[in-house]
Amino acid sequence: MKLIVWLIALFAAAVAVTLTAKHITGHASLVMPPYQLELPLDQFIIVVIVAFLVFYFLVRLVLGIFGFSKRHRHKKTDEMLLSGLKAYFEGDFVKAQKNATVALKLANSATVKAISAVIAARSAHKLNQVNARDQYLNNALNQVPSEKSLCLATKAEFQLDDGNYQDALKTLQSLYSGGGLQPTAVLQLELEAQQRGRNWDAVLELTEVLEKRQSANKTYIKKLKHDAQIENIRSKAIDSQSLNQYWLHISPLEKMDSKLCAAAVRSYISLGNCATANRIIEQNVPITWDNDLIELYAECLGYHVNRQIECAEVWLKSQPNNAQLLLTLGKLCTHCELWGKAQNYLEASLSVEPSYKAHFALAQLNEKLGKHELAMSHYNKGLEPCLKQLI
C-alpha cells in the first residue's frame, strides 16, 4: 500500500514538473573549472529531482542492508540461545554449551550475554569441565558487571555442588555487598551453605526471612526450620546455661512439638538434669502421647522414681493399651525393685505389642530374680525380630 502511494506521488510530481516547465524560460549554468555546463532551467529542475531520488533510494538501500544484518544477528542470537536452553533441559549438554557459546559471541545485550554465559557454564558443569565452567562465569563478570547477581549466584551453586560451602558463603557475601533485596533463590543457596556449615542460628534467621516470601515453598521452609531447631538444641547441650537460654527462647506453641521436646529431653539427660527432662516429658505427654517421650521417661532415673511411677499410672488410665507406656512402667518398677508390678507391666506390654525391648526388659528382670532359663528365653525371643531385620 505504501509503495502504491509513493508511485502515485511520483507520477503526480512528474506531471506537475512537466506542466510547470512549459512556462519556465531561462538557463542554469554549472561551472566546475575548467568545465562548464549550461542547461535549460526545466531540464535542470528534472535533473535535480532525479538526482535527489537516486540519492534517497541509495541511502535507503544502504540502511536496509545494515538493518538486515543487525536483524539477522539478533535473530541468530535468539535462535542459538533458545536452542541452547532446549538442549540443556533435554540433557544434551554438549549441544547446549556449543549453542550458548555462539549466542554469547553474537549477543549485544548484557542480559543475553549473562544468560548465555550461565547456560554454557551450567552445561560445562554437568560435563565436569571445571576450568571451562569457571572461565565462562569469569568472562561474564568482566564483560557484563551489571548482571553480576546472576553470575555470582550460579558460581555459589557450583561451589556448593563441589562441597565448598565456605567458598559459597564468601561468594554470596560479595553479592550482598551491593545491597538491595536479594532474590529468594539466593537466600535458599545461603540456607543450604549454612546448613552444611552447621550454623543453625543463621539457618533459623534465614527461614524466618523466607517464611515471609511468597515465592518460597512454605512447607519445605517449615521443615527446614523444624530440623534446624532440633539440631540447635543438640548443639546447645554443652552446658545447662546455654540449653536453658535456648529452650526458654522457644515459643510455647513450639514447645508442644514432641520432636523438639524429645531433642531437649535427650540434651538435658546428657547433662544429667533429670528434673528438667522429666518436667518437659510430663508437660508434653498428656497432649501428644508421643512414644519417644514416654520411652525417655525411664531413661533418667533420680530420687523421684516413685513419683514418676504415680504419674505414669495416671497416664495409663487414659492409655490402658499403650505398649510403650506399659514398658516404661515396667522399667520404672524394676528400678524400684517392685518385682511383681514390673513383671505384670512388662508382660502386659508384650501382650499388646511384642517387641524386643520388652523381651530384653523381662530378661533382665528374670536375671535379677535368679530365673536364668526364663531370662535366656526372653533374650532369644528378643533377638529373633532383630535378626530378621538384619537378614
Side-chain angles (χ1 to χ4, degrees):
M1 187 66 185
K2 290 177 69 175
L3 180 61
I4 295 173
V5 172
W6 271 103
L7 289 174
I8 292 173
L10 286 173
F11 280 122
V15 172
V17 170
T18 303
L19 292 175
T20 304
K22 290 181 179 180
H23 304 285
I24 294 176
T25 58
H27 294 81
S29 180
L30 295 177
V31 179
M32 296 180 65
Y35 304 104
Q36 182 175 348
L37 178 64
E38 189 172 314
L39 293 172
L41 189 58
D42 55 347
Q43 293 181 12
F44 175 76
I45 293 172
I46 293 171
V47 169
V48 169
I49 293 173
V50 170
F52 171 77
L53 292 174
V54 170
F55 176 76
Y56 173 78
F57 283 112
L58 283 174
V59 170
R60 288 294 299 270
L61 179 62
V62 171
L63 291 176
I65 292 172
F66 281 106
F68 173 80
S69 177
K70 189 175 182 180
R71 288 193 300 273
H72 177 72
R73 184 186 182 95
H74 284 315
K75 183 179 179 181
K76 185 68 174 177
T77 303
D78 292 344
E79 287 178 355
M80 289 293 100
L81 179 59
L82 292 174
S83 177
L85 273 171
K86 181 174 181 291
Y88 179 81
F89 288 118
E90 288 177 347
D92 188 350
F93 302 118
V94 174
K95 182 179 179 181
Q97 182 180 358
K98 179 181 177 181
N99 290 356
T101 303
V102 174
L104 178 61
K105 292 177 180 177
L106 294 175
N108 292 322
S109 164
T111 302
V112 175
K113 276 185 175 294
I115 293 174
S116 301
V118 166
I119 296 169
R122 286 185 177 276
S123 300
H125 180 66
K126 293 290 186 180
L127 296 169
N128 201 29
Q129 298 174 359
V130 177
N131 292 334
R133 175 198 75 185
D134 294 341
Q135 191 66 43
Y136 284 124
L137 289 181
N138 291 334
N139 288 344
L141 285 168
N142 293 330
Q143 294 175 15
V144 283
S146 60
E147 298 294 337
K148 74 172 186 177
S149 177
L150 176 61
C151 298
L152 288 177
T154 305
K155 183 178 180 180
E157 185 178 341
F158 293 158
Q159 289 168 332
L160 282 174
D161 288 346
D162 293 340
N164 301 322
Y165 70 89
Q166 291 181 334
D167 291 339
L169 285 173
K170 290 179 182 177
T171 300
L172 292 171
Q173 288 303 320
S174 67
L175 178 58
Y176 295 161
S177 63
L181 186 67
Q182 297 300 328
T184 298
V186 172
L187 295 181
Q188 288 177 330
L189 283 174
E190 186 188 356
L191 182 62
E192 184 179 348
Q194 298 290 9
Q195 276 182 292
R196 295 192 185 185
R198 304 185 69 80
N199 303 319
W200 303 116
D201 287 328
V203 170
L204 288 172
E205 289 179 9
L206 286 166
T207 56
E208 289 175 2
V209 173
L210 288 168
E211 277 181 328
K212 301 173 185 177
R213 296 284 183 94
Q214 294 294 327
S215 54
N217 184 330
K218 299 295 190 298
T219 303
Y220 177 65
I221 297 301
K222 184 177 180 180
K223 182 182 181 302
L224 286 180
K225 182 178 181 180
H226 184 263
D227 293 345
Q229 283 180 316
I230 291 175
E231 293 296 336
N232 222 354
I233 289 171
R234 292 171 179 168
S235 68
K236 303 297 181 185
I238 51 176
D239 61 78
S240 295
Q241 184 178 358
S242 298
L243 186 57
N244 285 335
Q245 287 178 350
Y246 188 78
W247 185 247
L248 289 173
H249 175 72
I250 294 177
S251 69
L253 183 62
E254 289 173 327
K255 286 180 180 178
M256 294 173 63
D257 184 284
S258 60
K259 301 302 180 185
L260 291 182
C261 287
V265 167
R266 289 188 178 96
S267 295
Y268 277 113
I269 289 175
S270 69
L271 292 171
N273 191 342
C274 294
T276 303
N278 289 335
R279 185 169 62 251
I280 293 172
I281 294 172
E282 290 163 5
Q283 291 171 348
N284 193 275
V285 165
I287 300 171
T288 64
W289 297 109
D290 184 80
N291 281 338
D292 287 342
L293 287 174
I294 294 172
E295 182 178 6
L296 287 169
Y297 201 46
E299 295 297 318
C300 198
L301 306 174
Y303 297 103
H304 304 291
V305 180
N306 286 324
R307 191 191 65 79
Q308 288 180 254
I309 293 172
E310 292 174 3
C311 184
E313 286 178 337
V314 172
W315 298 341
L316 191 62
K317 293 177 182 179
S318 299
Q319 297 277 318
N321 294 318
N322 189 314
Q324 183 58 60
L325 182 54
L326 290 165
L327 174 57
T328 295
L329 272 166
K331 289 180 177 180
L332 292 172
C333 290
T334 299
H335 179 79
C336 292
E337 299 183 355
L338 301 172
W339 310 122
K341 289 183 71 174
Q343 185 171 351
N344 289 336
Y345 282 131
L346 293 174
E347 289 176 351
S349 177
L350 281 173
S351 67
V352 174
E353 182 183 331
S355 67
Y356 74 91
K357 291 181 180 180
H359 278 297
F360 286 170
L362 260 175
Q364 290 169 342
L365 173 62
N366 283 301
E367 272 190 329
K368 291 178 180 179
L369 296 176
K371 302 176 182 179
H372 299 295
E373 291 184 5
L374 192 55
M376 186 58 66
S377 174
H378 281 293
Y379 276 129
N380 291 332
K381 290 178 181 178
L383 284 172
E384 285 178 7
C386 296
L387 292 173
K388 286 181 181 178
Q389 289 180 357
L390 291 174
I391 295 172

